Each structure stands twice: as structure tokens, then as C-alpha cells.
């Protein structure tokens, strides 16, 4: 038997006795102790299997190295442990009483329970299997096999005796089982989970009885009538039991031995020895259930009635107990039977109930160890594979990082190169577009005749600005969308191919996924002509081109860098009102835009001089100065030329000339403004290209990451 069973027996033998506990109770407690210890073993085993199952189920990517066979095996362990744990709750020590009708089986059981529970007496013989087991406190119920209904215990005499079957009051079969639930506290046997099964006379049906009610029995008690010897039918029954159960534990009780009290002692002893010899031959030689030495502790000569009534008297339930001569020896023999019975049934139950569980626990532990060894070996192989894979991936990663670092260096070089290309191309296209402004503006024709009405002129300038803006924007976009766009797209494709080479074919598809919904790059040209000509003020007053005012306007425009069309009379007044003194005007490095107002006299003089010059007085003054030096002929000649030019310009000054003059002023103003913002426009285009390439680079960098 296993070491666990031996340990349980040893621990049971060493238990201390309390004052209220008889030494005869100790063997029965061994079963309970063994059961509790076996429960602890399986609870611990269940925890281990549960942890293993959780490890297999919860581990990340466990199926990579844990085969399904091992996982299913652990689940079978769980099912097996759960089934055995349920069996623990049902495992009890079981004793089956057999014998011919009216041999006193029920009386023996009542005597062992210390109370009259089962039907007994003349005419009260058991007709069905009766199983007595401990129930909850105050529970005194009956339950018929195959039914969940519980009946009061008072129905026991009606259902469980042979007379009730004869009158037709019940249809319970002879192989039916009636379970009697009785409070555990009422009996030492019930307290220690002993189940007692009572059965009527032996019959040819005992093969089915053995299969149905006896295969899980730990002890069999054959109750004989002391007035007769062991019959062949009784022998055949136990021989059949021995074929199904190896070495069954059998007690033989010679009941009603009180009938020998009237005989002589010598005759009683002879009969006793005769019975003992026959029983020993049966148990040792035929049944082979015990040794000759053990046989004396398996055969007893008792009077169950005497013992039962004496015990009921001791409990105060009877006034007088039935006793015959020699009752003390028979009572001692019954007590000796109980002692050996308790010891044997405890030992047998521990062996039959828990030895298999102990063996199964060891098998599960061994199988778990093999299971873990297999998984550990597979895990080691997986670890080695992952280690090699890691080294390969690490080398691949370092190589990828090195190549990508070189790629980024080339990208920065390409970025600077494309920036320069964009700068040169856009700058050249922008200045070329400035040169084409005259042709663009000349193509504009307003519907209807040009008028110098201020309101119409304002509308004319707004429409002209929008038209020129549309034309300039379209021209610049067309020019940039040519070779420059092809260069950018080619560079992006080159970036894709370089990164695809770096990361390999396995991940190249991620580049397509990352850039699948990316819109093609296109320059967004924003010249905004209306904003550039916001300060444009047309001058449609007639001015002689050689007049003092015209020359002064050109001089101020040259010095300030502003368009001449942005300089009107108010501007002239502001410029000359800001003359502080002659010393400052003499400074050639003085910026006219930095002058501050000084006195109003200068403004008046300049304003008057402008008016005179515009009216021809200036010509007279200049002519007088020339006259002093060259004479009248030169003066007359120059005056004629100037006068002719003046007359010609004055004659041609009509609405068409005014429109052409406005367009020229508009072109001159816009050209200067576009030159001023040329660098800004070029920088915007550069930034668009750089942002486009940076976006592609970031997406590629994310894919590589």
C-alpha cells in the first residue's frame, strides 16, 4: 500500500484520546482523517493543475511551443481531479449484512446503532435492501431508490419489511434500495461515515445484487443462526463475491447463541468448536479471505437481542433487558466483534477508497511532470530559436539603421539640391513673368469705352488686377508644373525605391499602404496682384513729360524705391514739408523717407514752382538762363522743340491715351512690387517643396521604424 496510506494509519495510531472518547472510536476516525488528508492533497493538486492551465491559456503566443496535446492533457487532469473530489463527498465506509431470513441481521444492526431503528422481531423481516447512513441534525427520513421524495421514518416498517410486500400495499422490488437518513449524532458509526446495508435471505438473484449493491462494500457480515450450520447457499454467495472482489473482508456472526444457555458447558464448547472449524475452513481454505491466525478475530458467537436490550436499558429506554446465562461472555464477544469490525472496516475502507485515489494522484503528478518536461524542452527549443532569430533580426536592424542613416544623409543633400533648383527655376520664371506683364496687361480689354470717371476707374483697376492675377498665377503654375514637377516626382520615387531596398520585400508593401491616399504634389502659386497694387494711384492729369513736376516725381521714385504712380501731389507736399534745413538736403546719404516737417514756406514755394512749371513759366525761366549763354537762336530752337512736344502730347491726350497711360502706370507699379516680393514668392515655393519632401520622408521614416 502507498506511503500516504501508511502515514494515515500511523497518524491515526498516534492520536491522543480525549476523556469522553473510547479507545474503540480511534479506528473509525482514521478513515475521516485519511479522507481529510486526501482532500488536502487533491486541493493542492487542483491548485497546481489550475496554475499550469492558466499558464498555458494566458501565456502570450503559448501555442507557438505548447502543443495542443499538452493543453488537452492538463484539461483532462482538471476533469479527473474534479471527479475524484466529488467522489470524496460520497466516499464512506460500507458494510453489507447478509443471511437467511430471520437470522437477526436487522437486530445486529440495531445493536450496533444502540437503538431499535430497523424492523425486527417475529414476522418482521426485511424485504428490500435497507441502507442506513448519517444525515443532518434531526433528519429522520426515508428515500426510495429512483425517487427524490423523502418520506417520514415512520413508513419504514411499512415499506421495509416482508409482510408489507405480501399484502400488496407496496410494489417495491426485492433488489430495490431504501435509504434511511438518521442523525449522525445518534451513533458513533454514523458519526464516522459508516453506511450499513441490510438484506434479506440469499436467493438465486444475488449475482445482480452483488453488482448493484456490493462491489463498493468494505466489509461483509454474514449473520448465521447458531442452531444451524453454514449452508452451501451462503458459501456460494461469498464465493461469487470473491470472484468479483479479491479477498473480501468477511465477518461471521453466530447469532442467537443465547439459545445454548440451557446446555452444558462442555456441550456448548463442542458445538462452538465445531462451528469454528467449519467457518475457518470456509474463510481460510475456500474463500481465502484471511489467515488462520486472523480467523479467530472474524468469527463471533453473540446474541444481538441481549446486547440491544442491554444498551437500550443503559439509555433508559427499557426497564428490563433480556438476558440468559452466559450473557456476559456473549456481550464481550459482541464488543470484541465491534472492535475488530471498526479496525478492519477502517483499514479496508482506507485501502479500497483512498489507495486508488492516492495512486491516481501520483499518476497525475508524474504525468504533469512529463507534461512540463515536454513543454520545457519545447520552450528551450523555442528560446534557442528566438535567440537566433533575435541575433539575425538585430544584425538586420543594425544594417537597416546604417543604411537608413546613409539614406537620410543623401536625402538632406538631395533636399538642398532641389531647393536650389526650385529657387533658380521659380526666380527665373517669376522675373520672366514680370517682363511679360506688358503683354498680359495689353490683352485686357474692358467692355465699353474707357472713361476717366473716378468710380469707373476704380472698378477698372479692380478688374484689371484680378485679370492680371489670374493670368500670372496660371502662367507661373504652368511653368513650375513642367520640368520642376517631374523632378520632384522623380525624387519622391527615388526615395520610395531606396527605402524599399533598405527594409526588404517583406515590409515594402507597408510603404504602399502608408502612401496609398497621398495626393500628388502641386505648387500653390499665390501672387495676389490686388494686394500688390493696393497703393497704386493713377495719374490721369496731363503733365508735360519735361515739366518740373514730372521730373521731380521721377527723382523721388528713384530715391524712395516706390513706384512713380504711388507719388501724387499729396506725396510731393509731404516730401517737401519734411525738409528740415539745407544742410540735411545737402547730405547725399539722407533717406528722403526719414525727413521730418520743418516749415510751411518751403512747401508753398515748391507748390508754386510746380504750378508755374506745369503752366510753361518754367520754360521761360530756363530760356532766360540759356539766352544769357547761347543766344536767341538756340533759345528759339529749343523753345520750338519743347513747344512742339508739348503741343503734340496735349493733342494726343484723350481717353485712349489715358487708358494706355493707366495701363503703363499699372504695369510699372506692379512690376516694381513683384520685384520686391520675388524673394518671398520664391521662398514660398521652396517651402512647399521642402514640406512635401519632409512629409514623404516622415512617412518613410515611420514605416522603417
Amino acid at each position: 500500500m502507498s506511503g500516504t496510506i501508511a502515514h494515515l494509519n500511523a497518524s491515526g495510531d498516534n492520536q491522543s484520546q480525549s476523556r469522553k472518547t473510547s479507545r474503540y472510536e480511534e479506528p473509525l476516525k482514521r478513515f475521516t482523517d485519511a479522507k481529510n488528508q486526501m482532500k488536502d492533497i487533491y486541493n493542492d493538486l487542483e491548485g497546481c493543475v489550475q496554475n499550469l492551465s492558466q499558464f498555458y491559456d494566458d501565456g502570450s503566443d503559448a501555442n507557438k511551443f505548447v502543443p495542443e496535446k499538452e493543453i488537452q492533457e492538463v484539461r483532462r487532469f482538471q476533469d479527473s481531479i474534479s471527479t475524484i473530489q466529488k467522489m470524496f463527498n460520497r466516499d464512506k465506509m460500507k458494510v453489507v449484512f447478509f443471511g437467511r431470513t430471520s437470522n437477526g441481521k436487522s437486530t445486529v444492526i440495531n445493536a450496533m446503532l444502540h437503538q431499535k431503528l430497523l424492523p425486527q422481531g417475529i414476522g418482521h423481516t426485511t424485504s428490500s435492501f435497507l441502507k442506513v447512513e448519517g444525515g443532518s441534525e434531526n433528519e429522520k427520513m426515508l428515500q426510495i431508490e429512483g425517487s427524490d421524495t423523502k418520506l417520514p421514518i415512520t413508513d419504514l416498517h411499512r415499506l421495509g419489511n416482508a409482510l408489507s410486500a405480501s399484502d400488496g400495499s407496496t410494489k417495491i422490488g426485492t433488489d430495490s434500495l431504501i435509504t434511511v437518513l438518521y442523525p449522525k449524532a445518534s451513533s458513533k458509526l454514523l458519526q464516522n461515515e459508516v453506511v450499513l446495508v441490510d438484506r434479506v435471505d440469499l436467493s438465486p438473484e444475488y449475482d445482480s445484487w452483488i453488482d448493484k449493491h456490493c462491489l463498493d462494500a468494505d466489509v461483509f457480515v454474514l449473520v448465521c443462526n447458531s442452531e444451524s450450520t453454514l449452508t452451501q447457499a451462503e458459501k456460494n454467495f461469498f464465493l461469487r463475491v470473491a470472484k468479483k472482489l479479491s479477498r473480501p473482508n468477511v465477518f461471521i456472526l453466530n447469532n442467537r447463541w443465547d439459545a445454548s444457555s440451557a446446555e452444558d458447558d462442555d456441550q456448548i464448547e463442542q458445538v462452538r468448536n465445531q462451528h469454528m472449524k467449519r467457518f475457518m475452513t470456509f474463510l481460510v481454505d475456500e474463500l481465502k479471505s484471511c489467515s488462520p491466525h486472523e480467523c479467530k478475530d472474524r468469527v463471533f458467537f453473540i446474541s444481538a437481542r441481549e446486547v440491544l436490550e442491554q444498551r437500550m436499558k443503559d439509555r433508559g429506554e427499557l426497564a428490563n433487558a433480556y438476558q440468559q446465562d452466559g450473557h456476559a461472555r456473549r456481550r464481550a464477544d459482541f464488543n470484541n466483534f465491534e472492535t475488530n469490525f471498526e479496525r478492519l472496516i477502517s483499514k479496508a475502507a482506507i485501502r479500497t477508497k483512498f489507495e486508488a485515489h492516492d495512486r491516481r494522484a501520483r499518476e497525475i503528478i508524474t504525468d504533469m511532470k512529463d507534461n512540463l518536461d515536454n513543454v520545457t524542452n519545447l520552450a528551450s527549443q523555442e528560446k534557442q530559436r528566438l535567440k537566433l532569430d533575435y541575433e539575425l533580426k538585430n544584425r538586420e536592424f543594425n544594417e537597416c539603421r546604417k543604411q537608413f542613416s546613409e539614406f537620410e544623409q543623401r536625402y538632406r543633400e538631395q533636399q538642398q539640391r532641389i531647393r536650389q533648383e526650385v529657387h533658380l527655376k521659380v526666380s527665373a520664371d517669376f522675373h520672366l513673368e514680370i517682363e511679360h506683364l506688358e503683354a498680359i496687361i495689353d490683352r485686357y480689354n474692358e467692355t465699353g469705352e474707357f472713361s476717366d470717371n473716378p468710380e469707373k476707374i476704380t472698378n477698372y483697376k479692380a478688374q484689371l488686377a484680378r485679370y492680371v492675377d489670374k493670368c500670372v498665377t496660371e502662367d507661373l503654375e504652368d511653368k513650375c508644373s513642367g520640368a520642376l514637377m517631374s523632378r520632384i516626382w522623380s525624387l519622391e520615387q527615388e526615395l520610395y525605391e531606396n527605402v524599399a531596398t533598405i527594409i526588404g520585400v517583406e515590409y515594402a508593401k507597408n510603404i504602399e499602404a502608408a502612401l496609398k491616399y497621398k495626393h500628388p504634389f502641386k505648387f500653390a502659386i499665390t501672387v495676389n496682384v490686388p494686394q500688390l497694387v493696393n497703393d497704386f494711384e493713377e495719374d490721369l492729369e496731363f503733365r508735360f513729360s519735361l515739366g518740373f513736376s514730372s521730373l521731380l516725381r521721377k527723382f523721388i521714385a528713384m530715391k524712395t524705391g516706390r513706384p512713380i504712380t504711388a507719388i501724387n501731389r499729396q506725396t510731393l507736399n509731404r516730401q517737401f514739408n519734411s525738409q528740415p534745413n539745407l544742410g540735411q538736403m545737402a547730405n547725399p546719404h539722407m533717406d528722403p523717407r526719414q525727413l521730418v516737417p520743418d516749415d510751411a514756406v518751403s512747401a508753398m514755394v515748391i507748390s508754386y514752382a510746380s504750378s508755374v512749371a506745369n503752366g510753361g513759366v518754367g520754360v521761360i525761366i530756363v530760356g532766360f538762363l540759356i539766352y544769357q549763354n547761347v543766344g536767341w537762336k538756340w533759345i528759339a530752337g529749343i523753345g520750338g522743340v519743347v513747344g512742339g512736344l508739348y503741343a503734340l502730347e496735349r493733342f494726343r491726350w484723350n481717353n485712349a491715351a489715358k487708358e494706355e497711360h493707366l495701363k503703363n502706370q499699372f504695369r510699372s507699379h506692379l512690376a516694381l512690387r513683384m520685384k520686391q516680393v520675388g524673394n518671398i514668392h520664391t521662398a514660398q515655393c521652396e517651402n512647399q517643396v521642402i514640406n512635401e519632401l519632409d512629409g514623404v520622408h516622415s512617412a518613410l521614416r515611420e514605416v522603417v521604424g
Side-chain angles (χ1 to χ4, degrees), residues 289-339:
S289 65
C290 63
S291 65
H293 177 71
E294 294 173 333
C295 189
K296 62 182 181 62
D297 294 327
R298 301 292 181 90
V299 181
F300 301 94
F301 297 84
I302 64 167
S303 173
R305 177 184 176 188
E306 288 181 337
V307 175
L308 174 60
E309 293 192 4
Q310 181 61 45
R311 289 178 174 177
M312 293 179 66
K313 179 181 177 183
D314 293 341
R315 294 175 59 178
E317 297 179 7
L318 284 178
N320 297 309
Y322 168 77
Q323 291 182 349
Q324 296 293 331
D325 291 341
H327 63 85
R329 183 179 179 183
R330 290 188 293 273
R331 185 166 59 249
D333 226 19
F334 192 89
N335 292 337
N336 192 24
F337 155 69
E338 288 183 315
T339 300

Side-chain angles (χ1 to χ4, degrees), residues 613-627:
N614 214 28
V617 178
V619 177
I620 298 173
I621 296 174
V622 173
F624 178 75
L625 294 175
I626 296 174
Y627 169 75

Side-chain angles (χ1 to χ4, degrees), residues 61-74:
D61 297 332
N63 291 332
K64 282 187 176 181
F65 63 90
V66 180
E68 183 65 23
K69 181 180 70 174
E70 268 66 25
I71 296 176
Q72 293 299 328
E73 185 178 35
V74 171

Side-chain angles (χ1 to χ4, degrees), residues 171-202:
K171 295 182 180 180
I172 298 177
T174 57
D175 63 342
S176 298
L177 179 66
I178 300 176
T179 301
V180 180
L181 299 174
Y182 210 72
K184 289 183 177 181
S186 64
S187 170
K188 178 182 66 174
L189 296 177
L190 300 182
Q191 286 177 0
N192 290 279
E193 301 187 78
V194 177
V195 176
L196 302 97
V197 178
D198 181 15
R199 174 56 200 165
V200 73
D201 190 17
L202 303 174

Side-chain angles (χ1 to χ4, degrees), residues 418-428 679 682-683 686:
I418 196 68
R419 181 193 288 271
Q420 295 173 1
E421 293 178 14
V422 171
H423 178 84
L424 293 176
K425 183 69 169 67
V426 173
S427 178
N679 291 335
T682 304
E686 291 178 19

Side-chain angles (χ1 to χ4, degrees), residues 71 74 85 89 121 150 165 187 198 229 291 396 423 501 508 595 631 644:
I71 296 176
V74 171
Q85 286 177 325
N89 296 326
K150 292 185 178 181
S187 170
D198 181 15
T229 186
S291 65
E396 181 181 353
H423 178 84
T501 303
L595 301 178

Side-chain angles (χ1 to χ4, degrees), residues 241-258:
V241 170
K243 289 181 180 180
K244 296 178 180 291
L245 298 174
S246 177
R247 293 173 60 89
N249 299 303
V250 180
F251 285 93
I252 298 178
L253 299 182
N254 281 279
N255 193 25
R256 299 183 179 176
W257 194 245
D258 55 308

